[in-house]
Amino acid sequence: MRFIWACCLFFAVAQATDWADVRPAHQPQPPLLRRPHFSKNRIIGGENAVEGQFKYQVAVLIEGAGFCGGSLIADDVVLTAGHCINNFAFWEVHAGALNFNNIDEPGRVVVSTNVSVLHEEYNGVVINNDIGILKLSEAVSGPNIAPVRLPSRSQENTTFAQSVARVSGWGKSSDNSSSINVDLKYVDLRVITQDDCLAIYGPLIINENKLCCDADGGASSTCNGDSGGPLVITEADGEATEIGIVSFGVSLGCESGWPAAFTRVTWYLDWLEANAGVTIRP
């Protein structure tokens, strides 16, 4: 049995968590996809972020033991994966962080919360509607802290296929790693077509509210600990827009070559406007 895993990492046991026993559509070796032409740097061994590069990125410590990523979508609201919220009651959000272990680094703001909103149709078995928000007890601000832009209404039907997108997080540096990365890292990935992702994972798992990115044969991908983190594109005005939330991979491993899967943010614009109190651009 092949298992789909969501990418949340637990400090206490420092092991990957299998979140659903869903069999991928077919053989363990995914079909070859056209490879991107950018470098093979990755969150698994990827490039370190620099101060102020990802002002929207936050780290989410779950009940003192679990770890996820997230993004600020308002100065007091964090967007993350549903499985980072489901069945939990307390979160500690670190904004403006680079080296997670350096609690005294300049500009870091830490806020605790017990207020969350999980999507009402979240399904952990097939990892569907994997989206939720945390409402902070106070607004966060600072020179290295700012919300990310959400997609506009005009982008609701955009697939983003073939776009180069950037994902960031503190996830594991390899399948053999026993813990998350200390430093925030990032990598550029290519969004693949819905048909390509569907052919690999099958219709039980892949639907219109998810998108996938090519893992470049296992050289570039997300991994355990990156869950909930933002996948962004850079638009013509130079601003980052979040199009995906790190959701799951396959239990064959982060370096197996299977696509990384994300919650498609454009599918949830109405939900975000209603539950997060944000205004979606036309």
Side-chain angles (χ1 to χ4, degrees):
M1 174 72 73
R2 304 297 185 189
F3 293 91
I4 303 293
W5 48 256
C7 302
C8 187
L9 178 73
F10 285 86
F11 278 91
V13 295
Q15 295 178 349
T17 301
D18 285 321
W19 290 89
D21 58 349
V22 178
R23 186 186 298 273
H26 56 110
Q27 72 277 5
Q29 181 61 38
L32 292 176
L33 302 173
R34 183 177 299 171
R35 300 301 174 209
H37 297 293
F38 38 80
S39 71
K40 293 186 177 180
N41 290 322
R42 51 199 165 145
I43 295 180
I44 300 175
E47 295 186 40
N48 283 4
V50 299
E51 184 177 351
Q53 185 175 6
F54 298 100
K55 295 183 178 182
Y56 49 82
Q57 175 84 48
V58 300
V60 181
L61 188 59
I62 307 167
E63 296 185 348
F67 187 91
C68 276
S71 59
L72 285 171
I73 58 173
D75 58 9
D76 59 352
V77 181
V78 169
L79 178 62
T80 190
H83 68 263
C84 298
I85 290 177
N86 188 45
N87 293 325
F88 298 113
F90 181 80
W91 301 264
E92 184 180 272
V93 173
H94 294 241
L98 278 179
N99 182 309
F100 186 77
N101 286 351
N102 182 11
I103 194 67
D104 296 320
E105 64 184 350
R108 184 186 301 205
V109 177
V110 182
V111 178
S112 298
T113 184
N114 59 3
V115 181
S116 67
V117 181
L118 177 67
H119 193 282
E120 57 276 9
E121 295 182 13
Y122 170 76
N123 185 330
V125 176
V126 291
I127 319 177
N128 200 31
N129 297 305
D130 192 16
I131 185 172
I133 58 173
L134 298 173
K135 296 187 175 181
L136 304 183
S137 56
E138 59 186 86
V140 294
S141 63
N144 297 322
I145 300 172
V148 68
R149 184 166 64 184
L150 293 171
S152 65
R153 295 285 181 188
S154 65
Q155 294 172 305
E156 282 184 304
N157 295 319
T158 303
T159 68
F160 303 105
Q162 310 307 325
S163 297
V164 175
R166 178 164 289 180
V167 63
S168 49
W170 287 269
K172 287 171 56 177
S173 59
S174 74
D175 287 326
N176 295 324
S177 298
S178 61
S179 65
I180 63 166
N181 280 303
V182 171
D183 297 306
L184 179 63
K185 295 181 181 291
Y186 69 95
V187 67
D188 290 338
L189 303 174
R190 181 175 58 85
V191 180
I192 64 176
T193 68
Q194 201 74 354
D195 287 344
D196 281 342
C197 193
L198 185 64
I200 294 170
Y201 283 113
L204 181 65
I205 298 297
I206 298 303
N207 53 30
E208 293 176 315
N209 57 36
K210 296 167 187 170
L211 64 80
C212 297
C213 288
D214 187 6
D216 196 13
S220 305
S221 193
T222 56
C223 202
N224 305 72
D226 290 320
S227 275
L231 178 76
V232 305
I233 57 168
T234 300
E235 300 203 63
D237 62 0
E239 293 294 317
T241 297
E242 182 168 356
I243 63 169
I245 304 165
V246 179
S247 183
F248 66 88
V250 70
S251 66
L252 292 169
C254 309
E255 299 171 281
S256 66
W258 287 70
F262 301 79
T263 301
R264 186 183 292 275
V265 176
T266 52
W267 191 262
Y268 298 96
L269 297 183
D270 287 343
W271 187 88
L272 287 167
E273 198 164 56
N275 290 278
V278 295
T279 300
I280 303 300
R281 294 173 295 143

